[in-house]
Amino acid sequence: MRRVRVRFAPSPTGPLHIGGVRTALYNFLFARKNNGDMLLRIEDTDSSRFVPGAEDYIVESLKWLGITIDEGIGAEKEGAFGPYRQSERKHIYRKYVDQLLNDGKAYIAFDSPIELESKRAEIPNFQYDAQTRLSMNNSLTLPEEEVRKRLENDEQYVVRIKIEPGEDIVVNDLIRGEVSINSSVIDDKVIFKSVDELPTYHLANVVDDYLMQITHVIRGEEWLPSSPLHVLLYRYLGWENEMPQFAHLPLLLKPDGKGKLSKRDGDRLGFPVFPLNWKDPRTGEIYNGFREAGYFPEAVVNFLALLGWNPGTDQEIFSMDELIEQFSLERVSKSGAKFDYEKAKWFNHKYLQMKPDEEVADIFQRILIEKGFIEDTDKVIKIISLIKDRADFITDLWEQSHYFFEAPEHYDAKAVQKRWKPEIPEQLEELGKMLLSLEAASADEMEKSIKEWISGKNYHLGNLMNALRLALVGELKGPSIFEIVEVLGKEEAARRIKKAIEVLSGES
Ligand code: GLU
């Protein structure tokens, strides 16, 4: 058995879309599961679409997510099959172009863009293929001498693959099963351009997969229509026995399932569809990333793993190791996966809850310092333990906990209207005094004493506790009120009670 070798082969044409990240992830999981190699190859033969910075963005995104590369761009050691950037492999491809030409599997075409344009205008649904190639300007129609002369004169040309019509080409897809397509519908694709001496995607992709000994091509569904052509290229090059197996992953769909997920869906619905923030160097356009939106990489990995793959059980939370252990292409679905952003948040929430309070507190301390609060670590850990379950993101923590650090400046008007009853100021004032005289300091002990005191006084427990919450928090939210008193300390609680009475009852 050949050693499993897979590759992620993005083109550096902009920020890596989240669908591309999922492709990288599935390749990685498959490689690890099968003790194989994960390669990163940059497919940059189309210089017109090259965007500076895009390659670094790809490498950084994968690194952030823990998708490690064994070989190629971004790997610790590049590996023995390099270079891994196609633009640096120019010298390699020519040989295979010549082989195809010599074997009559490809031909040289001189048709200019204008000539092609006029053919398209003349013949509806024009396709450069067996039916039309003999009416075109190419080495099949021009005398040999003429072709030679044109080449000597450095006339620009392309090389086209010569597809034999009328043949059923079968692609054995590991996800979709047998996909059969008749060669008559495939056009004579350009595989090489003299203008930059570079192959096009199709040839470079096949040559590199072969030379890099790739065993499985796992990529997005949008490449399925190209795969019969790739099968033919393997055949024409005499490599059919070494041809990798194909697996085409289902599309990522818009949240409503209607069409492919796009950047615009993210902008429109307010969620990221890219791993990291990116500013387009040409247009200045901003692309929002999961990292900057506050996501943990583990949550993004978990979320993406389940967009198109299922474990066959109810398990939803997976560490990377568990994913590696359970992943299989057989459980990747054929149909598109809806991008459910609420689910992404849910995962982040879960991962936040799973993180130890100490770790979350450590990150939160940095936010506190930025806001000008220097706080005791134990106190912050305690606060985190009280409010963590109300947060989806680290950035929600401040919103959920600010009243622990600063006394309320305002009181929620609706709550005041509903809860600040005429008897409250007097009862609260008494409660404040009583608090100061309490021996108890822990939430549990205080709860017991306060409740006993309230019932002894015959006060309304709910009303008084709501008013106390308003005084301490400024609104009716937060964890157990006794926990809040414990963290604030009795003195601070009493101060806040006094202030609330002054502000809300106009006493000073
Ligand atoms: N360069 C192609 C892309 O950008 C790779 C397709 C493939 O994996 O074969 O997606």
Side-chain angles (χ1 to χ4, degrees):
M1 260 244 299
R2 291 164 76 191
R3 178 177 175 81
V4 166
R5 283 170 62 80
V6 296
R7 85 302 193 269
F8 178 49
S11 299
T13 54
L16 180 60
H17 185 270
I18 203 73
V21 177
R22 188 200 53 178
T23 299
L25 175 66
Y26 284 17
N27 272 286
F28 170 79
L29 296 175
F30 187 79
R32 288 291 168 275
K33 164 103 190 187
N34 294 290
N35 298 318
D37 303 323
M38 164 75 174
L39 281 73
L40 176 60
R41 182 173 77 220
I42 297 292
E43 301 209 324
D44 56 353
T45 52
D46 186 352
S47 51
S48 66
R49 297 184 64 220
F50 177 82
V51 174
E55 181 186 304
D56 288 344
Y57 179 96
I58 292 165
V59 171
E60 196 184 337
S61 300
L62 300 184
K63 209 169 177 185
W64 177 62
L65 291 162
I67 300 172
T68 46
I69 304 298
D70 304 312
E71 197 179 309
I73 307 299
E76 227 166 82
K77 278 206 289 200
E78 252 214 354
F81 296 82
Y84 294 87
R85 245 175 237 107
Q86 288 184 330
S87 59
E88 293 165 12
R89 296 172 63 79
K90 227 174 182 172
H91 59 287
I92 293 172
Y93 304 114
R94 181 75 230 192
K95 175 171 151 201
Y96 300 103
V97 174
D98 289 342
Q99 181 187 330
L100 289 168
L101 284 171
N102 290 338
D103 292 350
K105 303 290 186 198
Y107 59 93
I108 292 172
F110 296 101
D111 317 271
S112 69
I114 296 167
E115 283 166 337
L116 287 169
E117 209 39 64
S118 80
K119 267 283 180 230
R120 282 193 198 104
E122 184 189 316
I123 306 173
N125 300 325
F126 170 79
Q127 184 167 280
Y128 210 123
D129 60 12
Q131 294 222 359
T132 58
R133 64 170 80 108
L134 292 181
S135 64
M136 306 300 287
N137 242 333
N138 54 46
S139 58
L140 303 172
T141 58
L142 297 168
E144 224 174 283
E145 182 55 25
E146 167 78 12
V147 173
R148 202 176 47 78
K149 239 199 261 152
R150 287 191 186 212
L151 293 180
E152 270 170 17
N153 289 340
D154 278 342
E155 198 171 307
Q156 274 183 17
Y157 66 91
V158 296
V159 176
R160 288 181 180 271
I161 179 104
K162 190 172 165 219
I163 304 279
E164 297 302 338
E167 195 187 329
D168 281 329
I169 305 157
V170 176
V171 180
N172 264 313
D173 189 279
L174 293 170
I175 295 166
R176 274 144 228 278
E178 267 190 13
V179 181
S180 175
I181 184 163
N182 195 278
S183 62
S184 301
V185 304
I186 306 175
D187 61 328
D188 289 352
K189 283 258 172 339
V190 172
I191 55 169
F192 182 84
K193 300 185 288 340
S194 68
V195 61
D196 52 12
E197 294 279 307
L198 275 170
T200 59
Y201 156 72
H202 300 290
L203 184 72
N205 186 270
V206 165
V207 167
D208 286 350
D209 282 347
Y210 170 75
L211 294 178
M212 294 178 185
Q213 297 179 7
I214 297 302
T215 56
H216 297 79
V217 166
I218 304 169
R219 62 185 173 192
E221 184 182 307
E222 62 272 29
W223 300 105
L224 185 61
S226 300
S227 57
L229 172 68
H230 296 178
V231 169
L232 281 182
L233 276 168
Y234 281 101
R235 190 173 302 163
Y236 292 173
L237 286 161
W239 299 336
E240 224 177 345
N241 287 341
E242 286 88 17
M243 185 166 74
Q245 287 189 275
F246 293 98
H248 288 92
L249 306 175
L251 291 178
L252 285 194
L253 304 176
K254 296 178 194 303
D256 63 6
K258 293 184 186 138
K260 213 172 142 180
L261 179 72
S262 73
K263 170 180 188 295
R264 259 183 293 139
D265 298 316
D267 293 342
R268 187 170 53 91
L269 300 166
F271 57 75
V273 292
F274 297 92
L276 318 176
N277 274 6
W278 162 266
K279 188 172 167 195
D280 192 300
R282 301 156 306 177
T283 61
E285 206 180 343
I286 301 288
Y287 295 65
N288 294 319
F290 274 88
R291 182 177 66 182
E292 290 77 4
Y295 279 85
F296 296 118
E298 309 92 289
V300 177
V301 162
N302 198 150
F303 167 64
L304 284 181
L306 292 170
L307 278 183
W309 170 80
N310 76 82
T313 63
D314 289 341
Q315 186 176 348
E316 289 197 282
I317 301 296
F318 290 88
S319 66
M320 190 69 103
D321 284 345
E322 286 173 310
L323 287 173
I324 291 168
E325 201 184 302
Q326 296 194 35
F327 185 78
S328 74
L329 289 172
E330 288 78 54
R331 299 210 71 94
V332 172
S333 83
K334 291 191 198 47
S335 48
K338 277 191 221 165
F339 191 84
D340 178 354
Y341 185 61
E342 288 308 317
K343 194 76 195 197
K345 275 205 256 183
W346 180 86
F347 275 110
N348 210 65
H349 176 85
K350 289 282 173 201
Y351 276 87
L352 182 57
Q353 307 318 308
M354 287 185 313
K355 289 219 181 288
D357 293 341
E358 291 74 13
E359 197 181 319
V360 178
D362 192 46
I363 309 173
F364 188 45
Q365 282 273 29
R366 281 174 247 157
I367 297 176
L368 289 175
I369 289 169
E370 265 169 40
K371 293 188 182 290
F373 297 95
I374 311 290
E375 298 287 343
D376 172 64
T377 303
D378 286 343
K379 178 179 163 188
V380 177
I381 294 173
K382 169 81 183 173
I383 292 169
I384 293 299
S385 75
L386 295 175
I387 55 113
K388 201 170 70 170
D389 65 344
R390 288 152 205 271
D392 293 334
F393 300 99
I394 293 279
T395 43
D396 295 341
L397 295 172
W398 171 252
E399 168 64 20
Q400 295 298 339
S401 69
H402 60 94
Y403 53 89
F404 284 108
F405 309 103
E406 55 185 17
E409 290 292 330
H410 309 285
Y411 301 90
D412 179 26
K414 255 202 196 137
V416 170
Q417 204 186 23
K418 213 166 146 205
R419 304 287 180 186
W420 201 259
K421 312 244 166 123
E423 67 279 12
I424 285 297
E426 208 181 301
Q427 295 182 2
L428 259 190
E429 197 178 340
E430 271 185 71
L431 176 63
K433 286 195 186 122
M434 177 274 181
L435 263 182
L436 285 175
S437 68
L438 263 188
E439 290 267 312
S442 78
D444 283 351
E445 288 167 335
M446 276 192 282
E447 175 168 5
K448 202 163 152 272
S449 314
I450 292 173
K451 281 186 172 165
E452 270 169 18
W453 178 82
I454 290 177
S455 96
K457 290 272 179 182
N458 233 347
Y459 293 156
H460 189 285
L461 176 71
N463 287 350
L464 196 48
M465 290 299 96
N466 276 317
L468 177 61
R469 186 176 290 279
L470 254 179
L472 303 185
V473 177
E475 49 190 317
L476 297 177
K477 70 169 193 189
S480 145
I481 190 69
F482 307 103
E483 297 282 7
I484 296 177
V485 177
E486 182 192 314
V487 174
L488 290 177
K490 287 176 286 190
E491 289 72 19
E492 174 63 11
R495 259 197 301 280
R496 291 189 186 186
I497 289 172
K498 196 157 166 267
K499 184 175 166 197
I501 295 172
E502 282 168 14
V503 174
L504 296 175
S505 302
E507 289 175 21
S508 53

